[in-house]
């Protein structure tokens, strides 16, 4: 018996020892040409154990079952399964996957294969973002995605305006997309370093964005930051560039001679006298004695070339159990305006993932951003536009004037003009500083309840942002009415806290020809905002140590604000994705969103999508012309919670009446609170995805109709002064989007690419309830929303010519009745009543472009790389308000375009008024002289680079890429301004967008 027991135990030990035998496996992953593939995934099948190859394509896996199987995958290559079979060294060559359709795309709360998508999603990789020398990540996306409009802001640290498929709300501040960074929600990502981004996915249609709920009604920009890799040795990367910015397309103003001509042609005796005053004060020009001896180019005086630099240092890697990514970034950008105008940001970032065991993974990330921004004085640009050229920056005659301090800046009032005009006092004695601190903390835990099938994930995100604003105004005296008597200091502190807690469960399974993914989850968010502000007057002028409110002699009571707000949201959501035989695709989501913001607490929003992969059908020809073809369509609804919450007031009044001959008093109470509910966005999207010509050409095409229903608009209240907001509007955005990209590898040494995208946009107001129209802007510069026309369209008179002579005047009763003269505008009599009045106003155009496009091309030859891109748009209009403000004063300069092209005799022009005519109220009505075309074409980026030790083939020498970049070197347009990128279409002096020239270095160790 004992012998039998010993035999059984021996056999059992031998069996268990054999079953648990494990080996350490190492090797190299390369392509068929032997080129190492860094970052390839090597995973033990049926487990979460895995690693990634290093820069030499090497990998190491410990404790691998001797009878296990390795799964090897790499983007753009066909995945392989290799049996271990007790091997300790396994080298693998991967075949290139020319279709590249198994690429994984990040979507909301998960990921999908590109070939399985039914929604309109575009993904941009890190390398496409890193070539642009910009401080804001979204600026690098301009022109790269069809249907994504990026409107740049040239000011240092300025965030661009971002729109996905137009504007769907009358509250234009509610039309921006949701930014999701590693699971955290943002309205702006000005704190994020572009070189920290691994990929950006733009979720354009409702079906794609719906999983994020009511904050995603205007699209989602989904950002994943860079991570480390398991079993990867430490990799150190430095990326940096330095260069300078140049103000491009600087608006040319009338010079002294042209300005003098305009003044004399105007027929204004005071203006003619001002010219004489300037000649008496500053002398006469030796070239033309009828012109003052001063010719100031004010834009040239106030602008300068500015430096820009960016430096990033990152360390990434990982062990068998953990990955890490740690980095630091410094970005600095000077402004183009000659004042304290700059932006500086320092970021620290860390990201860690840790495998507790085969079932549990935890991780987290943190971004600390500390920025300081000095904003320009916007009024300085306006003053430079209006300042007359016959006045110098400094006036020598004021040097001995003891009343003038602290500097002898020239004063236009000394020539007789009403204003001082000189922009330098405003620039030199003003300071606008913001200190911005962002902390983004993220933590998650994921449990594989059933490995590879059933997962639970919980994630907590917290973003804390504080901004300390300081506005300093120092006193000066240049002349009466051109002075600042009191020193003033404004302090404002805002704190924003945004917390999100998400919990999801995901089930994935493949059985036969069926593939199924089901997700369910909850999301809780808590947003809080606090504001504290006060303004003080007259503090000791001894520098920054005096810029504190306790130093002020007086606190302005009306300026003191202590306020805040808090909002909560709770959501339940689910998603189902089904694939049958890689041919038929079904996708659907459902989300219930709750909020404390509106009287309607809950909104319910479904979406559904379907796809048909025709190229997988047996009847589809396999002739190599069309390699992949998929039809897709989707429908969905989303709520929009960016509209401000309900508002109103309760009023009470004492009412006295007679009851049974006795006077009785009572209290009558009424309420005009609005009962708002969600704005609802409903969208239909039909698309096509294809790969052609041996997969060298990719094509994505979409057509969409996006309707915003229950749009909130102001409505006149019956019998009560003022307006109230109601959900009665409807807005439609529709358009077509096309993206084509050709990639060809000609040989091992040479490859090239060329591509482009094109998008149309039609914006239309479908309903205003019982309201006839909705006005915006001011009475002088009217914008109007009318059913059948674009939202906030420019609304004014249509010019059909210019009166050329007295005979034409006498032949036109309208001209005679209004005492017009040659050089005045001829307006179209729209209603044909023989008069020109407000009833003859028409829609003059929209600030939204009707089409936009982007182009890109490049090549790689051995160690050299070259790329170039261009963008453009058209069909939009710009209200040149700075030119139109002649209605407020005639004491200003004019742009050179008007000076050269003005009407100054029969036949000289049929589009521009005369110098005298532009001063008449008749010609100053809002019309299409002031509303100009906003079309433009721009060479966006040109980059030339050379890489030393490419692919790190030579040990001991780091891979080093050096490059030169020209960003926005050329912009072509007809608009009479600095640039045609105006977010709301109204140019009341916009900060110039500079051309940027940089030299950069990337080093990998």
């Amino acid at each position: 018996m004992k012998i039998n027991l010993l035999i059984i135990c021996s056999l059992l030990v031998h069996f268990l020892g054999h079953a648990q035998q494990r080996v350490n496996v190492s090797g190299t992953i390369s392509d068929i040409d032997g080129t190492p593939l860094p970052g390839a995934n090597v995973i033990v099948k049926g487990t979460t154990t895995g690693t990634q190859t290093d820069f030499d394509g090497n990998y190491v896996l410990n404790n691998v079952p001797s009878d296990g199987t390795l799964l090897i995958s790499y983007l753009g290559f066909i995945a392989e399964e290799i049996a271990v079979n007790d091997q300790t060294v396994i080298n693998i060559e991967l075949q290139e996957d020319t279709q590249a359709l198994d690429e994984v795309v990040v979507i909301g709360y998960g990921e999908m294969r590109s070939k399985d998508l039914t929604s309109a999603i575009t993904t941009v990789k890190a390398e496409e973002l890193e070539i642009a020398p910009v401080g804001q990540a979204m600026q690098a996306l301009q022109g790269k995605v069809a249907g994504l409009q990026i409107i740049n802001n040239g000011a240092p640290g300025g965030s661009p305006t971002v729109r996905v498929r137009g504007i769907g709300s009358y509250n234009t501040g509610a039309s921006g997309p949701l930014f999701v960074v590693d699971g955290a929600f943002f309205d702006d990502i000005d704190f994020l370093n572009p070189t920290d981004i691994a990929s950006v996915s733009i979720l354009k249609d409702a079906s794609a964005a719906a999983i994020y709920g009511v904050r995603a009604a205007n699209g989602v920009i989904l950002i994943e930051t860079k991570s480390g890799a398991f079993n990867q040795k430490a990799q150190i990367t430095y990326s940096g560039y330095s260069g300078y910015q140049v103000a491009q397309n600087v608006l040319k103003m009338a010079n002294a001679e042209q300005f003098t001509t305009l003044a004399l042609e105007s027929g204004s005796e005071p203006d003619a006298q001002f010219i004489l005053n300037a000649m008496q004060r500053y002398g006469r020009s030796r070239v033309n004695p009828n012109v003052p001896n001063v010719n100031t180019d004010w834009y040239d005086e106030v602008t300068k070339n500015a430096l820009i630099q960016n430096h990033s240092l990152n360390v990434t890697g990982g062990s068998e159990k953990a990955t890490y990514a740690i980095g630091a970034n410094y970005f600095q950008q000077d402004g183009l305006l000659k004042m304290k105008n700059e932006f500086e940001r320092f970021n620290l970032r860390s990201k860690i993932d840790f495998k507790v065991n085969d079932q549990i993974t935890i991780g987290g990330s943190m971004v600390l951003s500390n920025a300081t921004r000095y904003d320009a004085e916007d009024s300085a640009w306006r003053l430079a536009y209006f300042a007359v050229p016959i006045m110098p920056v400094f006036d020598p005659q004021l040097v001995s004037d003891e009343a003038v301090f602290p500097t002898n800046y020239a004063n236009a009032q000394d020539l007789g003009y009403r204003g001082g005009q000189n922009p330098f006092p405003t620039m030199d004695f003003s300071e606008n500083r913001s200190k911005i601190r962002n902390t983004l903390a993220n933590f998650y835990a994921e449990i594989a309840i059933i490995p590879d099938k059933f997962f639970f994930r919980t994630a907590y995100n917290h973003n804390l942002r504080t901004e300390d604003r300081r506005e300093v105004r120092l006193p000066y005296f240049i002349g009466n009415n051109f002075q600042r008597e009191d020193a003033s200091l404004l302090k404002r502190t805002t704190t924003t806290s945004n917390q999100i807690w998400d919990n999801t469960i995901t089930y994935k399974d493949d059985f036969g020809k069926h593939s199924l993914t089901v997700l369910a989850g909850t999301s809780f968010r808590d947003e809080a905002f606090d504001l504290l502000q006060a303004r003080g007057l007259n503090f000791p002028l001894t520098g920054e140590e005096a810029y504190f409110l306790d130093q002020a002699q007086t606190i302005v009571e009306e300026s003191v604000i202590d306020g805040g707000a808090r909002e909560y949201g709770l959501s339940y959501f689910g998603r189902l994705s089904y694939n049958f035989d890689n041919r038929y695709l079904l996708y659907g989501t459902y989300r219930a969103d709750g909020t404390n913001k509106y009287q309607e607490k809950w909104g319910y929003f479904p979406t559904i999508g379907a796809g048909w992969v025709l190229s997988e059908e047996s009847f589809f020809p396999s002739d190599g012309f069309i390699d992949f073809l998929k039809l897709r369509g989707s429908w969905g609804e989303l709520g929009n919670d960016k509209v401000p919450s309900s508002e109103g007031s309760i009023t009470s009044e004492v009412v006295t009446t007679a009851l049974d001959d006795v006077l009785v008093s009572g209290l009558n109470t009424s309420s005009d609170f609005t009962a708002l509910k969600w704005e609802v966005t409903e969208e239909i999207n039909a698309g096509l995805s294809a790969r052609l010509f041996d997969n060298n050409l990719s094509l994505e095409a979409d057509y969409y109709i996006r309707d915003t229903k229950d749009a909130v608009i102001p409505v006149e209240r019956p019998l009560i002064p003022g307006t109230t907001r109601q959900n009665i509007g409807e807005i439609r955005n529709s358009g077509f989007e096309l993206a084509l990209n050709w990639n060809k590898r000609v040989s091992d040494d040479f490859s090239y690419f060329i591509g482009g995208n094109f998008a149309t946009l039609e914006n239309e107001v479908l309903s205003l309830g019982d309201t006839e129209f909705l006005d915006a802007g001011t009475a002088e510069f009217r914008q109007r929303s009318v059913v059948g026309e674009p939202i906030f369209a420019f609304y004014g008179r249509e010019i059909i010519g210019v009166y050329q002579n007295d005979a034409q005047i006498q032949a036109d009763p309208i001209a005679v009745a209004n005492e017009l003269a040659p050089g005045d505008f001829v307006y179209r009599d729209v209603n044909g009543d023989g008069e020109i009045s407000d009833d003859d106003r028409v829609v003059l155009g929209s600030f939204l472009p009707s089409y936009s496009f982007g182009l890109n091309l490049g090549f790689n030859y051995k160690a050299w790389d070259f790329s170039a891109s261009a963008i453009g748009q058209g069909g939009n209009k710009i209200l040149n308000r700075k030119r139109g403000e002649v209605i407020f004063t005639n004491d200003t300069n004019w742009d050179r375009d008007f000076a050269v092209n003005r009407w100054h005799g029969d036949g000289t022009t049929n589009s521009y008024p005369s110098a005298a005519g532009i001063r008449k109220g008749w010609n100053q009505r809002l019309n299409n002289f002031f509303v100009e075309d906003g079309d433009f074409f721009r060479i966006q980026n040109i980059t030339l680079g050379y890489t030393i030790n490419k692919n790190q083939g030579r040990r001991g020498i780091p891979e080093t890429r050096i490059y030169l970049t020209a960003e926005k070197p050329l912009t072509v347009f007809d608009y009479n301004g600095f640039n045609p990128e105006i977010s709301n279409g109204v140019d009341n002096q916009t900060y110039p967008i500079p051309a940027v020239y940089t030299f950069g270095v990337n080093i990998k160790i």
Side-chain angles (χ1 to χ4, degrees):
M1 183 67 180
K2 291 182 179 179
I3 295 175
N4 291 338
L5 184 60
L6 288 172
I7 292 173
I8 292 172
C9 289
S10 176
L11 291 173
L12 183 60
V13 169
H14 177 77
F15 173 77
L16 291 175
H18 179 76
Q20 295 175 358
Q21 184 176 350
R22 291 176 177 266
V23 295
N24 297 331
V25 181
S26 62
T28 301
I29 311 296
S30 63
D31 62 14
I32 59 176
D33 298 320
T35 302
L37 298 177
N41 295 308
V42 185
I43 299 172
V44 179
K45 187 176 181 179
T47 74
T48 58
T49 301
T51 185
Q52 285 187 328
T53 56
D54 61 19
F55 276 112
D56 298 320
N58 299 320
Y59 73 93
V60 176
L61 273 176
N62 298 321
N63 297 320
V64 178
S66 60
D67 58 349
T69 301
L70 299 184
L71 300 176
I72 300 95
S73 62
Y74 188 75
L75 181 63
F77 289 78
I78 299 173
E80 293 279 356
E81 292 190 12
I82 304 295
V84 176
N85 291 334
D86 293 319
Q87 300 177 82
T88 59
V89 177
I90 301 177
N91 298 319
I92 302 149
E93 291 184 350
L94 294 181
Q95 297 277 345
E96 186 174 0
D97 181 4
T98 54
Q99 292 191 32
L101 293 170
D102 288 326
E103 177 183 354
V104 173
V105 176
V106 177
I107 60 175
Y109 300 104
E111 56 189 24
M112 290 181 68
R113 294 186 307 173
S114 176
K115 67 188 301 181
D116 294 338
L117 294 176
T118 62
S119 305
I121 299 178
T122 301
T123 298
V124 181
K125 297 299 184 182
E127 52 269 22
E128 298 184 59
L129 303 176
E130 293 174 354
I131 63 172
V134 294
Q136 307 295 330
M138 294 310 298
Q139 292 174 324
L141 277 176
Q142 190 175 35
K144 296 186 181 300
V145 179
L148 177 67
Q149 185 186 20
I150 308 289
I151 304 171
N152 278 312
N153 184 338
S159 297
T161 299
V162 181
R163 297 186 183 123
V164 179
R165 293 182 168 180
I167 290 179
S169 178
Y170 289 97
N171 178 12
T172 54
S175 295
L178 170 68
F179 297 94
V180 182
V181 182
D182 291 337
F185 290 5
F186 299 93
D187 293 325
D188 192 351
I189 53 170
D190 58 350
F191 67 91
L192 195 61
N193 171 28
T195 59
D196 288 339
I197 296 175
S199 68
V200 179
S201 294
I202 296 88
L203 316 185
K204 294 190 286 188
D205 68 345
S207 175
I211 198 69
Y212 284 114
V214 294
R215 296 190 62 177
N218 301 299
V220 176
I221 311 294
L222 186 58
I223 297 172
E224 293 287 306
T225 60
K226 293 177 179 177
S227 304
F230 290 104
N231 291 313
Q232 181 192 57
K233 64 182 181 181
Q235 172 192 320
I236 302 174
T237 304
Y238 166 78
S239 301
Y241 61 79
S242 182
Y244 66 97
Q245 309 162 89
V246 179
Q248 63 169 344
N249 303 111
V250 177
L251 183 62
K252 297 297 184 182
M253 301 300 295
N255 59 28
E257 185 168 350
Q258 292 167 332
F259 177 77
T260 299
T261 301
L262 289 171
L264 297 178
E265 284 186 5
S266 71
S268 169
E269 293 183 7
D271 283 353
Q273 183 61 50
F274 300 157
I275 300 296
L276 293 175
N277 294 343
M279 289 189 288
Q280 291 172 359
R281 192 174 184 91
Y282 305 120
R284 295 175 180 267
S285 169
R286 295 182 180 180
V287 177
N288 184 348
N290 295 317
V291 176
N293 192 32
V294 177
N295 187 19
T296 304
D297 184 337
W298 286 101
Y299 278 136
D300 183 62
E301 294 292 340
V302 302
T303 58
K304 60 180 174 64
N305 293 341
L307 296 177
I308 185 172
Q309 59 178 321
N310 187 70
H311 306 278
S312 296
L313 185 65
N314 290 277
V315 181
T316 60
S319 64
E320 184 179 353
K321 289 290 187 180
T323 71
Y324 60 87
I326 302 172
N329 168 255
Y330 174 76
F331 175 79
Q332 190 266 335
Q333 181 183 15
D334 290 338
L336 300 173
L337 193 65
K338 290 180 181 176
M339 64 174 293
K340 191 70 172 177
N341 174 212
E342 61 190 48
F343 177 72
E344 184 179 55
R345 182 184 64 216
F346 181 73
N347 279 15
L348 291 174
R349 184 180 74 94
S350 64
K351 194 173 186 179
I352 299 173
D353 298 282
F354 179 73
K355 292 180 179 178
V356 178
N357 53 42
D358 288 344
Q359 289 183 289
I360 301 176
T361 303
I362 62 174
S365 64
M366 178 170 285
V367 176
L368 302 176
S369 178
N370 189 1
T372 301
R373 186 182 69 233
Y374 287 90
D375 293 323
E377 275 289 294
D378 290 338
S379 60
W381 296 112
R382 290 171 48 79
L383 290 168
Y385 178 85
F386 293 124
V388 295
I390 59 174
M391 173 184 70
V393 176
F394 297 96
D395 191 335
Q397 296 190 30
L398 297 179
V399 172
S400 58
D401 191 336
E402 296 181 356
V404 173
F405 75 91
T407 309
N408 62 315
Y409 283 125
N411 180 3
Q413 292 174 332
D414 292 332
L415 304 180
Y417 295 102
R418 282 171 286 185
Q421 299 195 15
N422 195 325
F424 279 93
T426 297
M427 294 161 54
D428 286 355
F429 309 123
S430 302
E431 180 187 286
N432 306 305
R433 188 194 72 181
S434 293
K435 285 191 172 183
I436 307 165
R437 300 173 183 86
N438 266 284
T439 302
L440 167 61
N442 168 292
F443 172 82
Y444 79 91
E446 184 172 281
I447 302 174
I449 301 172
I450 302 176
D452 297 329
K453 289 184 181 294
F454 192 33
F455 303 90
F456 169 76
R457 181 184 178 96
T458 183
Y460 171 77
N461 296 278
H462 189 189
N463 173 241
L464 182 65
R465 178 186 175 102
T466 61
E467 180 172 347
D468 294 325
R469 176 74 170 178
R470 185 185 74 185
E471 297 180 1
V472 179
R473 301 292 180 266
L474 300 178
Y476 60 85
F477 182 88
I478 311 299
N480 291 327
N481 299 320
F482 191 28
Q483 60 182 307
R484 185 183 290 157
E485 297 183 3
D486 298 321
S488 68
L489 171 67
L490 176 71
K491 286 287 192 74
R492 180 170 62 245
T493 297
T494 56
T495 302
T496 304
S497 172
N498 186 4
Q499 300 180 78
I500 301 171
W501 183 29
D502 293 329
N503 292 276
T504 60
I505 55 173
T506 304
Y507 177 77
K508 298 190 294 185
D509 200 4
D510 296 320
F511 43 97
K513 295 183 178 181
H514 307 274
S515 179
L516 178 69
T517 301
V518 180
L519 175 142
T522 66
S523 181
F524 172 78
R525 61 187 175 98
D526 177 1
E527 299 178 67
F529 171 80
D530 293 294
L531 167 66
L532 182 62
Q533 172 184 293
R535 181 168 174 259
L537 301 177
N538 299 321
F539 47 86
L541 306 178
T542 57
E544 288 207 15
E545 63 272 17
Y547 297 163
F548 297 93
L549 289 175
D550 64 353
Q551 299 289 309
Q553 295 179 8
T554 305
I555 300 296
V556 181
E557 293 185 9
E558 294 81 3
S559 70
V560 177
I561 301 174
D562 184 8
R566 193 166 191 178
E567 295 177 6
Y568 299 94
L570 178 63
S571 303
Y572 302 93
F573 54 88
R575 175 172 62 208
L576 182 146
S577 177
Y578 173 72
N579 178 332
F580 176 73
D581 198 23
N582 289 321
R583 289 183 293 164
Y584 309 116
L585 313 172
L586 185 64
Y587 178 90
T589 67
Y590 188 82
R591 180 153 177 146
D593 278 307
T595 182
N596 68 333
K597 194 171 184 178
Y598 306 122
Q599 282 83 358
E600 184 184 50
K601 300 301 182 184
W602 287 91
Y604 304 93
F605 309 108
T607 70
I608 190 169
W612 179 21
V613 184
L614 278 78
S615 53
E616 293 291 333
E617 296 287 359
S618 58
F619 61 78
F620 196 85
S622 55
D623 55 7
F625 172 62
I626 300 178
D627 305 288
F628 174 81
L629 178 62
K630 176 177 65 177
L631 301 179
R632 48 186 171 77
S634 64
W635 169 90
E637 286 187 340
L638 273 171
N640 181 14
D641 78 339
K642 290 187 178 181
V643 175
S645 58
S646 303
E647 63 183 8
S649 62
I650 296 177
T651 58
S652 300
E653 62 178 342
V654 176
V655 178
T656 302
T657 187
L659 296 176
D660 295 330
D661 296 327
V662 177
L663 288 177
V664 178
S665 297
L667 193 65
N668 182 25
T669 302
S670 63
S671 169
D672 63 350
F673 272 97
T674 57
L676 295 182
K677 57 182 180 180
W678 312 92
E679 289 188 343
V680 177
T681 297
E682 180 182 17
E683 184 168 12
I684 299 173
N685 191 96
L688 178 151
S689 300
R691 302 291 185 272
L692 302 90
F693 304 111
D694 292 328
N695 293 286
N696 289 312
L697 178 66
S698 65
L699 181 152
E700 297 286 338
D702 287 274
Y703 178 77
Y704 67 91
I705 298 175
R706 172 184 287 181
D707 291 341
T708 300
K709 300 179 179 180
D710 297 326
V712 177
I713 66 172
V715 178
E716 296 289 337
R717 295 179 295 190
L719 305 178
I720 304 176
T723 61
T724 184
R725 294 182 300 141
Q726 297 181 15
N727 296 91
I728 60 173
E730 186 171 352
I731 307 165
R732 169 168 291 180
N733 290 280
S734 60
F736 172 74
E737 298 167 355
L738 175 67
L740 291 167
N741 288 283
W742 174 275
N743 289 271
K744 179 72 173 180
R745 185 170 183 172
V746 180
S747 67
D748 292 342
D749 291 333
F750 181 72
S751 62
Y752 69 94
F753 64 89
I754 184 170
N757 64 77
F758 179 82
T760 67
L761 173 65
E762 182 179 356
N763 178 274
E764 181 184 359
V765 176
L766 297 182
S767 175
L768 293 171
D770 295 329
T771 303
E772 184 179 353
F773 57 82
L774 186 65
D775 278 339
T778 61
E780 298 84 6
F781 304 102
R782 179 65 66 207
Q783 290 174 264
R784 176 168 288 187
S785 299
V786 183
V787 173
E789 299 289 350
I791 187 173
F792 299 141
F794 298 117
Y795 192 70
R797 300 181 182 181
E798 183 181 352
I799 299 169
I800 58 176
V802 174
Y803 291 106
Q804 299 293 325
N805 47 55
D806 287 330
Q808 187 179 0
I809 295 288
Q810 297 303 318
D812 187 350
I814 293 176
V816 173
N818 289 277
E819 299 180 351
L820 303 184
D824 290 335
F825 286 135
V826 182
Y827 291 124
R828 185 162 71 94
D829 183 7
V830 175
N831 59 13
D833 63 356
E835 298 179 355
I836 298 297
S837 66
D838 285 348
D839 294 335
D840 293 303
R841 291 178 295 174
V842 296
V843 169
L844 301 175
S846 168
F847 65 93
L848 295 171
S850 57
Y851 69 88
S852 59
F853 61 87
L855 303 169
N856 64 87
L857 59 88
F859 67 84
N860 290 274
Y861 177 69
K862 294 185 177 180
W864 291 94
D865 64 88
F866 172 82
S867 65
S869 61
I871 66 169
Q873 69 179 38
N876 62 304
K877 297 292 185 178
I878 299 173
L879 170 58
N880 194 341
R881 176 164 175 164
K882 59 186 186 302
R883 173 184 267 186
E885 289 199 3
V886 65
I887 64 178
F888 298 129
T889 177
N890 295 318
D891 291 349
T892 63
N893 195 12
W894 276 94
D895 54 77
R896 186 170 298 181
D897 173 72
F898 173 75
V900 171
N901 296 300
R902 75 196 185 285
W903 185 93
H904 54 280
D906 195 342
T908 53
T909 179
N910 203 36
S911 303
Y912 290 71
S914 64
I918 197 63
R919 296 166 179 260
K920 291 182 179 179
W922 172 268
N923 300 295
Q924 294 173 353
R925 303 289 190 272
L926 183 62
N927 54 56
N928 49 342
F929 175 71
F930 301 111
V931 177
E932 305 181 40
D933 290 337
D935 305 16
F936 75 88
F937 171 82
R938 171 183 292 147
I939 296 178
Q940 185 77 354
N941 182 279
I942 301 174
T943 298
L944 177 65
Y946 182 82
T947 303
I948 301 170
N949 195 24
K950 191 173 184 180
N951 297 322
Q952 296 190 335
R954 298 162 60 188
R955 296 187 180 277
I957 300 176
E959 180 178 308
T960 303
R961 178 176 178 265
I962 56 177
Y963 62 92
L964 296 171
T965 294
E967 177 78 3
K968 305 178 183 69
L970 175 67
T971 306
V972 180
F973 57 91
D974 291 330
Y975 171 64
N976 194 43
F978 271 116
N979 67 80
E981 291 191 73
I982 314 294
S983 62
N984 62 357
V986 180
D987 185 2
N988 197 18
Q989 199 54 260
T990 305
Y991 201 104
I993 295 175
V996 186
Y997 304 93
T998 60
F999 170 79
V1001 178
N1002 296 337
I1003 302 174
K1004 296 179 181 179
I1005 301 176

